[in-house]
């Protein structure tokens, strides 16, 4: 009896030993790794929801890479940002930008909102949130002119107090917004994918009922106009692919196209050679003509790098959102393992975060640390 079970026990112990070594050794390596101090200013003026999803992914990566504040303290997503928060579920508490923002290594702009929300009145100045203000933009611009690196996700510009504020930030980021946002939709009748607000705006502007079925791509303008690209007629597939340029692939180390499923911003870069990646949409001739007739610039830049007094990156989409903040940040190489193990397939949670955002932000953070020009 004992002889029969002995091989099973031996193999069980051997497997447990291997698993322990596989987990413990990377944990020891992470613990022994020296910390890197960087002064990173995170600006997230989202409506407070206690999820901190818009900047939680960035903070996870900072901790996983052992990037700490100048004081040596690790970054905490609940505390180390400027924006709004709630205290005991009551009225939001404001965390305004300091008077001086030039004494920093990197300014990161993000938000947790988009123009397609069914709650359009997000700019309730003096009551809830007001988004980025002209005063914020002036401080950010001053920092950029003094050489501070800037990274911005499109959600930050969607949540903004005025057009004048955007005008202040456009030269810093090397782009202008067309006013359009788009998204791949697998079912145009699904209320979770196409909000009631989008449907109502379409019916109001087009004087037609929302009768779309099947898959497609929805484009929404900040003035309420809606354009639908239907699969089969306007696009051959509803999938949106994130594709690096040749220079972008050499810079990032990513050569394969990656699925992108969130909202993206349709922008106009100051210089075409600043584009590091594009959004790929398989438009038919009818679809191309529909966009041309509506004045929508194609193709769609996805990631641009702008060089002036400083270096800035604009992510024309929601790249860094994270819902679940896990222990695995304390495992050295975990982000690389997740990249390899995450399949590039539709419906995979956090696909874009692991496949694109993490390696891109690691590259940007390395540039900030060394102060090298990206092409050197």
């Amino acid at each position: 009896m004992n002889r029969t079970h002995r091989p099973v026990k031996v193999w069980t112990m051997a497997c447990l030993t291997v698993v322990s070594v596989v987990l413990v050794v990377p944990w020891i390596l992470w613990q022994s790794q020296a910390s890197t101090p960087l002064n990173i200013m995170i600006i997230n003026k989202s409506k407070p929801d206690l999820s901190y999803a818009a900047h939680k992914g960035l903070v996870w990566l900072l901790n996983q890479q052992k990037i700490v504040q100048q004081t040596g303290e690790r970054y905490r997503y609940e505390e180390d940002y400027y924006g709004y928060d709630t205290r005991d579920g009551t009225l939001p508490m404001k965390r305004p930008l300091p008077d001086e923002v030039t004494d920093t290594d990197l300014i990161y702009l993000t938000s947790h909102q988009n123009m397609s929300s069914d709650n359009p009145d997000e700019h309730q100045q003096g009551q809830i949130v007001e988004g980025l203000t002209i005063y914020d933009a002036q401080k950010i611009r001053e920092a950029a002119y003094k050489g501070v690196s800037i990274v911005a996700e499109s959600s930050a510009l969607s949540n903004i107090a005025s057009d004048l504020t955007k005008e202040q930030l456009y030269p810093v980021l090397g782009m202008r917004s067309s006013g359009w946002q788009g998204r791949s939709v697998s079912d145009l009748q699904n209320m979770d994918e196409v909000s009631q607000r989008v449907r109502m705006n379409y019916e109001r502007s087009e004087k037609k009922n929302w009768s779309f079925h099947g898959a497609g791509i929805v484009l929404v303008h900040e003035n309420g106009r809606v354009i639908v690209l239907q699969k089969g007629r306007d696009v051959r597939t509803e999938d949106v692919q994130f594709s690096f340029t040749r220079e972008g692939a050499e810079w990032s180390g990513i050569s394969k196209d990656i699925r992108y499923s969130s909202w993206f911003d349709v922008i106009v870069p100051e210089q075409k050679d600043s584009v590091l990646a594009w959004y790929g949409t398989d438009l038919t001739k009818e679809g191309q003509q529909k966009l041309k007739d509506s004045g929508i610039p194609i193709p769609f830049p996805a990631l641009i790098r702008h060089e002036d007094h400083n270096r800035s990156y604009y992510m024309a989409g929601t790249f860094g959102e994270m819902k679940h903040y896990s222990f695995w940040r304390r495992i050295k190489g975990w982000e690389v393992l997740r990249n390899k193990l995450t399949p590039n397939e539709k419906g995979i949670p956090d696909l874009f975060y692991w496949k694109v955002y993490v390696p891109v932000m690691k590259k940007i953070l390395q540039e900030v640390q060394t102060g090298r020009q990206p092409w050197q």
Side-chain angles (χ1 to χ4, degrees):
M1 192 73 156
N2 291 336
R3 291 179 180 178
T4 303
H5 288 283
R6 184 173 298 171
V8 175
K9 291 180 180 179
V10 171
W11 277 108
T12 300
M13 290 299 296
C15 290
L16 290 174
T17 301
V18 170
V19 171
S20 297
V21 170
V22 168
L23 292 178
V24 170
V25 171
W27 179 79
I28 293 174
L29 291 174
W30 185 89
Q31 292 286 356
S32 61
Q33 179 181 339
S35 299
T36 301
L38 277 182
N39 190 2
I40 299 177
M41 176 175 287
I42 303 170
I43 305 175
N44 175 11
K45 301 191 76 172
S46 303
K47 181 178 179 180
D49 61 1
L50 298 181
S51 73
Y52 309 99
H55 65 266
K56 187 184 289 183
L58 171 64
V59 174
W60 186 95
L61 182 61
L62 295 178
N63 287 326
Q64 201 275 334
Q65 295 292 300
K66 298 204 76 172
I67 294 174
V68 298
Q69 303 179 60
Q70 294 293 347
T71 60
E73 295 289 324
R74 68 180 179 88
Y75 284 91
R76 293 175 171 82
Y77 62 79
E78 310 97 325
E79 301 175 4
D80 298 315
Y81 72 97
Y82 296 92
Y84 300 89
D85 199 357
T86 56
R87 183 178 291 174
D88 300 326
T90 58
L91 292 176
M93 176 179 61
K94 188 174 183 179
R95 295 171 173 166
L97 270 66
D99 294 333
E100 179 60 58
V101 301
T102 59
D103 185 22
T104 186
D105 298 304
L106 172 68
I107 295 177
Y108 191 96
L109 306 174
T110 187
S111 182
H112 187 44
Q113 294 158 317
N114 62 67
M115 68 173 66
S116 65
S117 169
D118 278 334
N119 299 302
D121 189 15
E122 300 288 0
H123 309 301
Q124 303 176 39
Q125 188 170 357
Q127 181 182 3
I128 302 292
V129 298
E130 57 184 353
L132 286 172
T133 67
I134 186 68
Y135 305 106
D136 297 333
Q138 289 172 349
K139 292 177 181 179
I140 294 167
R141 190 166 179 169
E142 179 186 1
Y145 287 163
K146 291 188 176 180
V148 176
S149 297
I150 310 288
V151 174
E153 295 189 62
S154 65
S155 54
L157 293 192
S158 297
N159 181 33
I160 217 158
S162 69
D163 290 338
L164 185 58
T165 304
K166 290 183 181 181
E167 293 296 331
Q168 289 285 318
L169 292 175
Y170 286 153
V172 172
L173 299 173
M175 47 69 67
R176 299 184 66 86
S177 175
S178 68
W180 290 94
Q181 285 186 336
R183 186 183 184 184
S184 168
V185 175
S186 60
D187 183 2
L188 291 164
Q189 284 293 316
N190 189 326
M191 296 288 287
D192 292 332
E193 293 192 89
V194 185
S195 70
Q196 184 63 30
R197 180 190 172 201
V198 170
R199 297 165 188 249
M200 290 175 61
N201 284 340
Y202 174 84
E203 293 176 350
R204 184 183 302 113
S205 63
E206 301 297 325
K207 310 300 180 185
K208 299 177 182 178
N209 291 327
W210 182 271
S211 57
F212 298 104
H213 294 271
I217 296 175
V218 174
L219 293 160
V220 180
H221 196 272
E222 58 190 8
N223 65 11
R225 190 181 175 195
V226 179
I227 292 176
V228 179
L229 302 175
Q230 294 181 274
K231 181 179 179 179
R233 176 184 174 182
D234 304 309
V235 288
R236 296 178 182 87
T237 173
E238 77 277 16
D239 294 337
V240 175
Q241 299 287 341
F242 182 97
S243 304
F244 279 100
T245 63
R246 182 173 63 179
E247 181 182 2
E250 293 175 355
W251 170 79
S252 66
I254 305 172
S255 57
K256 294 182 179 180
D257 293 352
I258 307 296
R259 289 179 179 271
Y260 181 80
S261 58
S262 298
W263 287 93
F264 60 86
D265 193 13
V266 181
I267 64 171
V268 181
E270 285 185 7
Q271 298 177 334
K272 191 173 181 179
D273 60 5
S274 68
V275 178
L276 294 176
W278 301 88
Y279 290 120
T281 53
D282 197 2
L283 293 165
T284 64
K285 290 183 178 180
E286 291 79 2
Q288 292 179 26
Q289 190 62 46
K290 182 180 287 190
L291 296 185
K292 183 178 179 181
D293 293 343
S294 300
I296 300 176
I298 51 175
F300 306 137
L303 175 66
I304 66 170
R305 177 181 60 209
H306 178 63
E307 292 282 343
D308 194 4
H309 300 279
N310 73 326
R311 182 188 305 128
S312 68
Y313 290 90
Y314 184 77
M315 302 175 177
T318 303
F319 285 18
E321 283 198 356
M322 171 183 276
K323 294 182 179 179
H324 305 294
Y325 191 87
S326 72
F327 164 81
W328 300 106
R329 67 187 183 278
R330 300 176 185 273
I331 301 296
K332 187 173 178 61
W334 178 255
E335 82 287 5
V336 177
L337 182 63
R338 279 300 305 264
N339 182 307
K340 301 297 184 183
L341 296 181
T342 301
N344 186 19
E345 299 175 1
K346 186 180 296 186
I348 301 298
D350 300 328
L351 160 66
F352 198 80
Y353 177 83
W354 296 112
K355 290 288 190 183
V356 175
Y357 179 78
V358 166
V360 163
M361 276 307 303
K362 282 175 63 179
K363 184 67 177 180
I364 294 173
L365 291 168
Q366 289 170 5
E367 290 177 359
V368 172
Q369 292 174 43
T370 60
R372 291 196 307 266
Q373 295 295 328
W375 50 81
Q376 290 181 338

